[in-house]
Amino acid sequence: MLISVVFASGLLLTSSAPATVHETGKWGLVRKLEGKAPPAMETFYGTKLSASISEGHLSYTDTPAKPNVFTSADITMSWTSPKSELTPGETLEFKVTAEAKVSQKDANILNLTGWYRFDGFKIVEQKNAFVGHAANGFVGNGEGVAKVIVPAGADNTDIHIWQGQTGLSFGSGGIWYPCQYWYKWNAKPIDNKEPAKPPETKPVDPTKKKLNVLIAAVDYRELYEKVSPDGGPPYSALSDGGHTLHGVAADGSSLVLLRTAMDVSGQATFRAPTAGGGLSAVTDSNLYRSKGNPTLTVNTIPIGGLHYAFALYRPPNTFGADSAERDLEFTVDFKVDSDKYEDPKAKIPLKLVRPPVVLVHGTYDSPKACYQEVDPLDDSPMSLATRLRNAGFNIFCVDWEESNGAKDPSSFVYNSKAVWRNKDGIQTALESMRRMNIAVTQADLVCHSQGGVIARVYARGFDLMDPIPASHLTNPVECKSSGVACWYHRKDNHWSGDIHRLITISATHRGSEVCRLFEAFKQYKADWSPLRDVNRFLVGAFLVYVDKEVSGITTDGFKNQTPGSLELQAVGPTPIPAHAIGCVASNEIMATVRPDEGGITGGMGNYFGKLYKIWKLTPDDAKQFAFDYLGDKAAEKGDPKPRENAEAYRRLLLQFQVEEGQLYGDAFDAMKFRKAISPVIFQMRKTVFLDDENDCTVSFTSSSGGLKGSFITKAEGVLHGWAPRYRVVQNRVLELLRNDGSLFDPNGFPDFDGKQSSASQFLGRAALAPTTYLISQSSGEAALKPGVKSPNFVGATFTTVEGDWAFTSNGTKVSATHRTEVLSLEGTLAGHTLKFTLATRTSKTQGEITFAADWTSFDGYYRNPGGQKWEFKGTRKGASIREFFGLD
């Protein structure tokens, strides 16, 4: 999206005539923009950091959030604000002051700089204000000054003043703007102290009386039982009842009843807000399949002495990158049937919020260990649950620890509704938001390991061994099998299901190869031979030890995850937009990361130690049998390589046995032993996982679940058991939850044989195409629409999927500054090629992007509108703006 704006702005200005410079006249303030503080968050140091921003003022408070934490601080910054009109040639002086009160034990996170930035002015003096750690210790107060000369005026140009703050705060640094000011030559200024005056209204006809209009927005879900079978609701039932709503979730499936009433009959025209969504009549027979329309006109209906008008609103299917709730405003225009009254107008306010997020743990795990705890060995200093809450998401961690596979019952069938009914599951998440008077139908799910499979088992809607009716995958309104209703598609969720989007992390969609290894050991135990009696006993003892002392390997939950199991094959296609994060780790990481503390694997990496225990505690004959068994199973499917791997293991074992005798001399050399045994253990891993990349528990093929292309993410250097604790995984989850839907396969995960549902045809399933691509913050109007080649937006600030950017341009040179990230862009356009430098505080990235010549609109982040083509050189489509420029 950023790239679209930069290109269009350059194209616009290169085609304009040279500006005429004037010595007399004034610059008028035409727009100002106050900043917004980021949400409060808990820092790595155990403190809670919050901020407030207003014109010319910014303050931070940092207070202890955990026991035995003493760090605290109060910091304020104040800026001088400019005048409404500026005269060419005059000298302006501005001051910025900074003050700080910190505890004696501050944690060195409070280095803040206050400054001004001037676009178009001649800078005479520039000194920033600073508070924080300096060479001589902590500086608690600072004052900055800036002197500039106002430039001569020029037609169709503007100048810009920024009040800015930069510093190490909110964990990793950032830039915030308390206020920004835009001046245009000889333009009528707005008052920079008073709010803009409301627009003038038409004169009122004194001969006509005013009508009062009653308005309400209620949750249609509370009234669904009153709807007759043929789709025609009894209007008297809709005229009263239902909780007045504070907001609606952007799940694309909820329904809000907009209700108005007045004293006389007439006609009402409802208009949906610019945030998207659609309006439908309550009598629409296609209600559960229709996305609705931007406007809806209906006749009023007399009920109980009043005249009612009804409309149903379905919200957009995506919220965007922001975290705070957003305003929705529905306007209603009436034309009454009596000449005695004015035609009234009404507004129905509502908030748009994110759907809740439910985190689902995996096998042998718990919500606390998977998503809520932090360990010094973790790659990220924050748990995933904390990270998402700090980003503004409403988080729930479903608990299914009692049936997670450590003991029975633990089968897929038993867990078929765990993500819905268990503590802090989907049901809890939805009810929690409904208690806040928010209409919500679906939750986003983030699932680790087996959690991704049981979520799909729940969305299956029917008992695991029952067939899935075709309607479940094509027409959920008619989702019935032999007269049995689907538990997933129901009338109370408007036949759309309970899951908005599904993100899986190292999920066992095709099973875990570790389960297959233990299945091979069981086959060895059952393969009777007099020569193997002792070995069979040893293997049996080993399996009992693992089952009772380590983890359940005889439970249904374990057996169900064996690749090729009937249960995995029965899951079927999942009609939910999906993205799979598959994790992979190198042998080096397996051998060194998260080592055990003692015993025979002391000092070995956790997963290396697990394979070593299998190697140590099972007879060589049993291991070779298991590897040959795995190779034969793969060869039956036409893949001879695993059988070759089994042969390679046999050769490496013989080589190690020769070297092993030399290791036990007068003093055992542990390092030499590790070096000698490593090739054997690494070959075991290769053989077990059939040469596929893996995270030491699940292969990348299995965790991809059959998805392709941009709908899967490969997370490098990540071990299975701790995957949600890695920053690379957390960053991707956060990006996906903020995504517009373009990174989710709209048809969901396919079945075991690759067949997908037709979920993209469901209402609310596929991402709704945006009605506008950029929205001007000053006017609220669309700045870039399909078919508009030269939108005039230079010098304004716009909201994109990547956040808020402010753009300026001078000829073919363009620049953009991100409001909440440490990002700035400078570039030069030549034809359709943008050569750019994107800078952060610590690094710079250079490159160029070539755009197609025959463009009609640009939507660089979402998709390719109208079949137009463009190229991002050296990058990949579907990435974020930061990824486009190689910053992530």
Side-chain angles (χ1 to χ4, degrees):
M1 184 74 76
L2 162 64
I3 298 160
S4 312
V5 180
V6 173
F7 171 69
S9 61
L11 181 66
L12 171 66
L13 292 183
T14 52
S15 61
S16 60
T20 302
V21 178
H22 302 272
E23 296 296 333
T24 59
K26 289 190 176 183
W27 295 94
L29 177 67
V30 294
R31 179 167 169 260
K32 66 178 179 178
L33 180 67
E34 288 191 21
K36 295 180 181 179
M41 68 169 285
E42 184 175 319
T43 71
F44 176 75
Y45 304 94
T47 61
K48 183 179 181 181
L49 191 60
S50 59
S52 63
I53 297 177
S54 60
E55 180 180 2
H57 185 79
L58 181 148
S59 64
Y60 287 99
T61 59
D62 192 30
T63 56
K66 293 182 178 180
N68 301 319
V69 175
F70 303 102
T71 297
S72 64
D74 290 293
I75 294 180
T76 60
M77 288 189 173
S78 299
W79 289 260
T80 305
S81 297
K83 301 180 296 184
S84 297
E85 288 187 323
L86 306 178
T87 304
E90 72 172 315
T91 300
L92 305 176
E93 181 173 328
F94 302 98
K95 290 184 179 181
V96 53
T97 58
E99 297 182 357
K101 297 178 182 178
V102 300
S103 65
Q104 293 181 351
K105 191 180 179 182
D106 87 278
N108 195 24
I109 60 171
L110 302 171
N111 296 332
L112 305 177
T113 302
W115 43 267
Y116 288 92
R117 173 181 160 183
F118 303 92
D119 289 350
F121 295 80
K122 180 181 179 181
I123 299 176
V124 178
E125 181 181 351
Q126 180 87 53
K127 178 185 176 184
N128 298 333
F130 175 80
V131 293
H133 289 265
N136 298 321
F138 190 87
V139 178
N141 299 280
E143 184 172 287
V145 64
K147 290 183 180 180
V148 296
I149 298 177
V150 179
D155 293 337
N156 301 317
T157 59
D158 55 24
I159 54 179
H160 190 185
I161 300 176
W162 314 62
Q163 297 171 352
Q165 174 266 310
T166 307
L168 292 175
S169 56
F170 279 74
S172 61
I175 295 176
W176 286 278
Y177 301 107
C179 204
Q180 305 169 40
Y181 304 84
W182 282 265
Y183 294 84
K184 281 192 176 295
W185 179 245
N186 276 340
K188 183 178 180 181
I190 64 169
D191 193 320
N192 71 334
K193 299 298 181 184
E194 301 296 330
K197 295 181 180 180
E200 295 184 2
T201 57
K202 294 181 179 179
V204 176
D205 187 342
T207 64
K208 293 187 177 183
K209 298 179 182 180
K210 290 185 177 180
L211 276 173
N212 291 323
V213 179
L214 304 177
I215 60 171
V218 300
D219 192 347
Y220 189 64
R221 178 184 167 277
E222 298 177 12
L223 306 172
Y224 74 94
E225 290 183 345
K226 300 178 181 179
V227 179
S228 60
D230 62 359
Y235 290 111
S236 59
L238 300 182
S239 65
D240 188 22
H243 285 91
T244 301
L245 292 173
H246 166 77
V248 58
D251 56 21
S253 299
S254 296
L255 286 172
V256 175
L257 177 67
L258 305 175
R259 186 169 62 206
T260 68
M262 56 185 180
D263 292 329
V264 297
S265 63
Q267 194 177 67
T269 298
F270 295 83
R271 289 181 172 81
T274 57
L279 298 166
S280 300
V282 293
T283 54
D284 188 349
S285 60
N286 198 38
L287 175 63
Y288 295 110
R289 301 184 184 91
S290 172
K291 295 176 181 177
N293 299 287
T295 62
L296 177 70
T297 300
V298 296
N299 295 321
T300 60
I301 299 166
I303 304 172
L306 292 174
H307 297 267
Y308 283 84
F310 303 101
L312 289 172
Y313 171 69
R314 191 182 304 279
N317 190 42
T318 181
F319 185 83
D322 297 331
S323 57
E325 59 185 22
R326 292 154 54 187
D327 291 324
L328 300 176
E329 187 174 79
F330 303 87
T331 60
V332 192
D333 296 327
F334 297 89
K335 290 193 176 298
V336 297
D337 294 337
S338 173
D339 292 335
K340 296 180 181 180
Y341 299 96
E342 294 179 7
D343 289 338
K345 297 179 180 293
K347 294 182 178 180
I348 305 176
L350 207 61
K351 298 288 185 179
L352 186 69
V353 304
R354 288 187 177 281
V357 179
V358 177
L359 307 181
V360 188
H361 64 80
T363 311
Y364 313 139
D365 212 343
S366 68
K368 184 177 181 181
C370 188
Y371 294 117
Q372 298 168 330
E373 288 184 332
V374 178
D375 188 278
L377 294 176
D378 289 342
D379 179 64
S380 173
M382 287 187 188
S383 68
L384 181 59
T386 300
R387 180 91 183 273
L388 294 178
R389 285 195 182 98
N390 288 344
F393 292 88
N394 197 6
I395 301 299
F396 298 82
C397 299
V398 64
D399 186 350
W400 62 287
E401 184 177 3
E402 285 300 310
S403 58
N404 68 5
K407 60 182 180 180
D408 279 329
S410 64
S411 67
F412 288 171
V413 171
Y414 183 82
N415 283 314
S416 61
K417 297 180 182 179
V419 297
W420 167 261
R421 69 184 174 216
N422 281 31
K423 178 184 177 183
D424 290 330
I426 300 172
Q427 187 175 31
T428 303
L430 299 180
E431 289 177 351
S432 175
M433 294 191 70
R434 288 166 183 160
R435 284 194 295 269
M436 296 186 287
N437 292 323
I438 293 173
V440 59
T441 301
Q442 298 175 329
D444 288 321
L445 260 62
V446 179
C447 309
H448 179 229
S449 193
Q450 188 188 171
V453 180
I454 68 165
R456 294 180 58 192
V457 172
Y458 172 66
R460 190 180 192 276
F462 298 88
D463 289 337
L464 195 60
M465 295 307 168
D466 287 346
I468 299 177
S471 58
H472 183 80
L473 307 176
T474 58
N475 183 11
V477 179
E478 302 296 334
C479 189
K480 294 179 176 64
S481 175
S482 302
V484 178
C486 171
W487 68 58
Y488 183 70
H489 295 127
R490 309 180 307 275
K491 195 171 185 179
D492 68 306
N493 64 27
H494 310 305
W495 311 107
S496 60
D498 305 301
I499 304 175
H500 180 232
R501 291 175 186 166
L502 179 60
I503 301 170
T504 64
I505 305 169
S506 288
T508 52
H509 296 296
R510 299 291 188 268
S512 167
E513 285 72 13
V514 175
C515 300
R516 181 159 44 196
L517 173 62
F518 281 95
E519 178 64 28
F521 281 133
K522 293 174 187 177
Q523 293 295 326
Y524 175 83
K525 183 183 175 185
D527 186 25
W528 182 85
S529 168
L531 299 177
R532 287 178 171 171
D533 273 354
V534 175
N535 286 347
R536 289 172 61 245
F537 172 79
L538 293 175
V539 170
F542 169 72
L543 295 177
V544 171
Y545 162 74
V546 174
D547 188 47
K548 303 301 182 185
E549 302 298 329
V550 182
S551 57
I553 58 172
T554 61
T555 63
D556 289 335
F558 185 88
K559 290 186 289 187
N560 287 175
Q561 293 181 89
T562 302
S565 71
L566 293 177
E567 289 80 8
L568 281 174
Q569 294 185 58
V571 173
T574 304
I576 301 168
H579 188 102
I581 300 176
C583 302
V584 298
S586 66
N587 282 335
E588 180 182 1
I589 289 174
M590 182 187 78
T592 59
V593 173
R594 303 190 84 105
D596 290 341
E597 294 180 357
I600 62 175
T601 60
M604 296 181 180
N606 183 278
Y607 281 103
F608 187 96
K610 289 178 179 178
L611 281 175
Y612 176 78
K613 287 178 182 178
I614 294 174
W615 179 86
K616 186 70 175 179
L617 299 177
T618 56
D620 289 340
D621 183 61
K623 290 191 287 287
Q624 195 64 57
F625 174 89
F627 297 150
D628 289 339
Y629 175 87
L630 296 178
D632 291 342
K633 287 292 185 183
E636 290 175 5
K637 297 183 179 181
D639 185 1
K641 206 167 186 180
R643 185 179 286 168
E644 297 170 5
N645 283 336
E647 291 296 325
Y649 169 80
R650 181 180 287 108
R651 291 193 300 271
L652 285 170
L653 180 61
L654 291 174
Q655 179 181 337
F656 168 75
Q657 289 170 344
V658 172
E659 297 177 7
E660 187 178 21
Q662 303 171 4
L663 297 173
Y664 293 91
D666 295 335
F668 174 70
D669 191 326
M671 294 300 294
K672 288 183 178 179
F673 176 81
R674 174 77 68 85
K675 185 177 180 180
I677 193 63
S678 290
V680 177
I681 302 301
F682 295 157
Q683 186 63 35
M684 283 180 63
R685 180 190 184 191
K686 186 177 182 181
T687 306
V688 169
F689 286 95
L690 307 180
D691 277 317
D692 199 351
E693 290 184 286
N694 60 85
D695 60 7
C696 298
T697 300
V698 183
S699 70
F700 184 72
T701 298
S702 178
S703 58
S704 299
L707 299 183
K708 305 292 184 183
S710 61
F711 306 133
I712 56 176
T713 296
K714 180 185 287 187
E716 306 272 1
V718 176
L719 294 172
H720 181 87
W722 301 275
R725 299 178 179 221
Y726 284 80
R727 279 174 290 185
V728 63
V729 173
Q730 293 180 359
N731 290 344
R732 189 55 167 168
V733 168
L734 189 57
E735 182 180 16
L736 290 170
L737 289 174
R738 288 171 168 167
N739 180 252
D740 68 323
S742 59
L743 295 178
F744 291 79
D745 190 321
N747 290 310
F749 285 106
D751 66 7
F752 211 78
D753 297 321
K755 176 187 175 182
Q756 281 187 294
S757 73
S758 300
S760 58
Q761 301 175 19
F762 293 8
L763 171 62
R765 295 295 79 220
L768 304 182
T771 55
T772 59
Y773 298 102
L774 292 175
I775 300 296
S776 169
Q777 288 187 331
S778 60
S779 66
E781 296 298 323
L784 182 59
K785 299 179 181 179
V788 179
K789 291 189 176 183
S790 300
N792 184 6
F793 54 75
V794 177
T797 297
F798 301 94
T799 299
T800 73
V801 74
E802 286 296 321
D804 295 341
W805 287 81
F807 293 90
T808 58
S809 179
N810 180 15
T812 60
K813 293 183 178 180
V814 296
S815 64
T817 303
H818 198 284
R819 285 187 52 216
T820 57
E821 297 283 342
V822 190
L823 285 173
S824 63
L825 179 144
E826 299 289 340
T828 301
L829 281 164
H832 297 286
T833 299
L834 169 67
K835 295 184 178 181
F836 65 85
T837 299
L838 188 71
T840 70
R841 184 165 34 154
T842 58
S843 64
K844 291 184 178 181
T845 303
Q846 294 182 331
E848 65 179 42
I849 303 168
T850 300
F851 300 88
D854 58 345
W855 65 285
T856 57
S857 67
F858 276 97
D859 193 3
Y861 184 81
Y862 289 95
R863 60 190 64 80
N864 185 355
Q868 301 302 315
K869 303 292 184 183
W870 63 85
E871 179 184 5
F872 297 103
K873 287 190 175 179
T875 63
R876 63 183 179 84
K877 293 181 181 179
S880 70
I881 295 300
R882 290 179 64 87
E883 285 178 315
F884 277 139
F885 295 103
L887 295 174
D888 285 335

Short mmCIF file of all heavy atoms in Angstrom, two decimals, residues 90-95 116 118 121-127 144-150:
data_model
loop_
_atom_site.label_atom_id
_atom_site.label_comp_id
_atom_site.label_asym_id
_atom_site.label_seq_id
_atom_site.Cartn_x
_atom_site.Cartn_y
_atom_site.Cartn_z
N GLU A 90 9.52 36.04 7.55
CA GLU A 90 9.58 36.25 9.00
C GLU A 90 10.33 35.10 9.66
O GLU A 90 10.35 33.98 9.17
CB GLU A 90 8.18 36.38 9.59
CG GLU A 90 7.36 35.11 9.64
CD GLU A 90 6.05 35.28 10.41
OE1 GLU A 90 6.06 35.89 11.49
OE2 GLU A 90 5.01 34.78 9.90
N THR A 91 10.96 35.39 10.80
CA THR A 91 11.70 34.40 11.57
C THR A 91 10.82 33.88 12.70
O THR A 91 10.21 34.66 13.45
CB THR A 91 12.99 35.01 12.15
OG1 THR A 91 13.81 35.46 11.09
CG2 THR A 91 13.75 33.97 12.97
N LEU A 92 10.73 32.58 12.80
CA LEU A 92 9.93 31.94 13.84
C LEU A 92 10.85 31.24 14.83
O LEU A 92 11.86 30.66 14.44
CB LEU A 92 8.97 30.91 13.23
CG LEU A 92 8.03 31.41 12.13
CD1 LEU A 92 7.21 30.24 11.57
CD2 LEU A 92 7.09 32.49 12.66
N GLU A 93 10.49 31.32 16.10
CA GLU A 93 11.26 30.62 17.13
C GLU A 93 10.33 29.71 17.92
O GLU A 93 9.26 30.13 18.35
CB GLU A 93 11.95 31.61 18.07
CG GLU A 93 12.77 30.91 19.15
CD GLU A 93 13.59 31.88 19.99
OE1 GLU A 93 14.01 32.91 19.42
OE2 GLU A 93 13.78 31.63 21.19
N PHE A 94 10.75 28.46 18.09
CA PHE A 94 9.96 27.47 18.81
C PHE A 94 10.81 26.85 19.90
O PHE A 94 12.04 26.72 19.76
CB PHE A 94 9.48 26.36 17.86
CG PHE A 94 8.66 26.86 16.70
CD1 PHE A 94 9.23 27.06 15.46
CD2 PHE A 94 7.31 27.13 16.86
CE1 PHE A 94 8.49 27.51 14.39
CE2 PHE A 94 6.55 27.58 15.80
CZ PHE A 94 7.13 27.77 14.56
N LYS A 95 10.16 26.46 20.97
CA LYS A 95 10.86 25.80 22.07
C LYS A 95 10.20 24.46 22.38
O LYS A 95 8.99 24.31 22.26
CB LYS A 95 10.86 26.68 23.32
CG LYS A 95 11.74 27.91 23.21
CD LYS A 95 11.78 28.68 24.53
CE LYS A 95 12.69 29.91 24.43
NZ LYS A 95 12.75 30.65 25.71
N TYR A 116 11.67 19.37 16.55
CA TYR A 116 10.83 19.88 15.48
C TYR A 116 11.40 19.42 14.15
O TYR A 116 12.62 19.25 14.01
CB TYR A 116 10.78 21.41 15.46
CG TYR A 116 9.99 22.04 16.58
CD1 TYR A 116 10.62 22.41 17.76
CD2 TYR A 116 8.64 22.27 16.45
CE1 TYR A 116 9.93 23.00 18.79
CE2 TYR A 116 7.92 22.86 17.48
CZ TYR A 116 8.57 23.22 18.65
OH TYR A 116 7.86 23.79 19.66
N PHE A 118 10.95 20.56 9.95
CA PHE A 118 10.38 21.58 9.08
C PHE A 118 10.57 21.17 7.63
O PHE A 118 11.68 20.86 7.20
CB PHE A 118 11.06 22.93 9.32
CG PHE A 118 10.98 23.39 10.75
CD1 PHE A 118 12.00 23.09 11.63
CD2 PHE A 118 9.90 24.12 11.20
CE1 PHE A 118 11.94 23.51 12.95
CE2 PHE A 118 9.82 24.53 12.52
CZ PHE A 118 10.85 24.22 13.40
N PHE A 121 11.01 25.16 5.09
CA PHE A 121 11.55 26.31 5.79
C PHE A 121 13.08 26.32 5.71
O PHE A 121 13.72 25.26 5.58
CB PHE A 121 11.15 26.28 7.27
CG PHE A 121 9.68 26.40 7.53
CD1 PHE A 121 8.84 25.31 7.40
CD2 PHE A 121 9.13 27.62 7.91
CE1 PHE A 121 7.49 25.41 7.65
CE2 PHE A 121 7.78 27.74 8.17
CZ PHE A 121 6.95 26.64 8.02
N LYS A 122 13.68 27.50 5.85
CA LYS A 122 15.12 27.62 6.01
C LYS A 122 15.43 27.55 7.50
O LYS A 122 14.95 28.37 8.29
CB LYS A 122 15.63 28.93 5.43
CG LYS A 122 17.14 29.09 5.58
CD LYS A 122 17.63 30.42 5.01
CE LYS A 122 19.14 30.56 5.21
NZ LYS A 122 19.63 31.86 4.67
N ILE A 123 16.22 26.58 7.91
CA ILE A 123 16.52 26.36 9.32
C ILE A 123 17.74 27.19 9.71
O ILE A 123 18.83 27.04 9.15
CB ILE A 123 16.76 24.87 9.61
CG1 ILE A 123 15.51 24.06 9.26
CG2 ILE A 123 17.15 24.65 11.08
CD1 ILE A 123 15.67 22.56 9.42
N VAL A 124 17.56 28.08 10.71
CA VAL A 124 18.64 28.93 11.20
C VAL A 124 19.33 28.27 12.39
O VAL A 124 20.56 28.29 12.52
CB VAL A 124 18.10 30.32 11.61
CG1 VAL A 124 19.23 31.20 12.16
CG2 VAL A 124 17.43 30.99 10.42
N GLU A 125 18.56 27.67 13.28
CA GLU A 125 19.11 27.04 14.48
C GLU A 125 18.25 25.83 14.84
O GLU A 125 17.02 25.88 14.69
CB GLU A 125 19.13 28.02 15.66
CG GLU A 125 19.71 27.45 16.94
CD GLU A 125 19.69 28.46 18.08
OE1 GLU A 125 19.38 29.65 17.82
OE2 GLU A 125 19.97 28.07 19.23
N GLN A 126 18.88 24.77 15.27
CA GLN A 126 18.14 23.55 15.63
C GLN A 126 18.84 22.88 16.81
O GLN A 126 19.99 22.45 16.71
CB GLN A 126 18.09 22.57 14.45
CG GLN A 126 17.33 21.28 14.74
CD GLN A 126 15.84 21.41 14.49
OE1 GLN A 126 15.40 21.81 13.43
NE2 GLN A 126 15.05 21.07 15.48
N LYS A 127 18.17 22.80 17.95
CA LYS A 127 18.70 22.11 19.12
C LYS A 127 17.55 21.32 19.75
O LYS A 127 16.49 21.88 20.03
CB LYS A 127 19.25 23.11 20.15
CG LYS A 127 19.77 22.44 21.42
CD LYS A 127 20.20 23.49 22.45
CE LYS A 127 20.62 22.82 23.76
NZ LYS A 127 20.95 23.83 24.80
N GLY A 144 15.07 22.50 24.17
CA GLY A 144 15.52 22.66 22.80
C GLY A 144 14.92 23.90 22.18
O GLY A 144 13.92 24.44 22.66
N VAL A 145 15.54 24.36 21.11
CA VAL A 145 15.05 25.55 20.43
C VAL A 145 15.24 25.35 18.93
O VAL A 145 16.15 24.66 18.48
CB VAL A 145 15.81 26.81 20.91
CG1 VAL A 145 17.28 26.74 20.53
CG2 VAL A 145 15.18 28.08 20.33
N ALA A 146 14.35 25.97 18.17
CA ALA A 146 14.45 25.92 16.72
C ALA A 146 14.08 27.29 16.17
O ALA A 146 13.08 27.88 16.58
CB ALA A 146 13.53 24.86 16.14
N LYS A 147 14.92 27.80 15.25
CA LYS A 147 14.64 29.06 14.56
C LYS A 147 14.62 28.79 13.06
O LYS A 147 15.54 28.16 12.52
CB LYS A 147 15.70 30.11 14.89
CG LYS A 147 15.65 30.62 16.32
CD LYS A 147 16.68 31.72 16.54
CE LYS A 147 16.64 32.24 17.99
NZ LYS A 147 17.64 33.31 18.22
N VAL A 148 13.57 29.26 12.40
CA VAL A 148 13.43 29.04 10.96
C VAL A 148 12.94 30.31 10.30
O VAL A 148 12.38 31.20 10.95
CB VAL A 148 12.46 27.89 10.67
CG1 VAL A 148 12.98 26.58 11.21
CG2 VAL A 148 11.06 28.19 11.24
N ILE A 149 13.13 30.40 8.99
CA ILE A 149 12.63 31.52 8.19
C ILE A 149 11.56 30.99 7.26
O ILE A 149 11.75 29.98 6.56
CB ILE A 149 13.77 32.18 7.39
CG1 ILE A 149 14.82 32.74 8.35
CG2 ILE A 149 13.22 33.27 6.48
CD1 ILE A 149 16.02 33.34 7.64
N VAL A 150 10.42 31.67 7.24
CA VAL A 150 9.29 31.24 6.42
C VAL A 150 9.63 31.49 4.95
O VAL A 150 10.11 32.58 4.58
CB VAL A 150 8.01 32.01 6.81
CG1 VAL A 150 6.84 31.58 5.93
CG2 VAL A 150 7.70 31.78 8.28
#
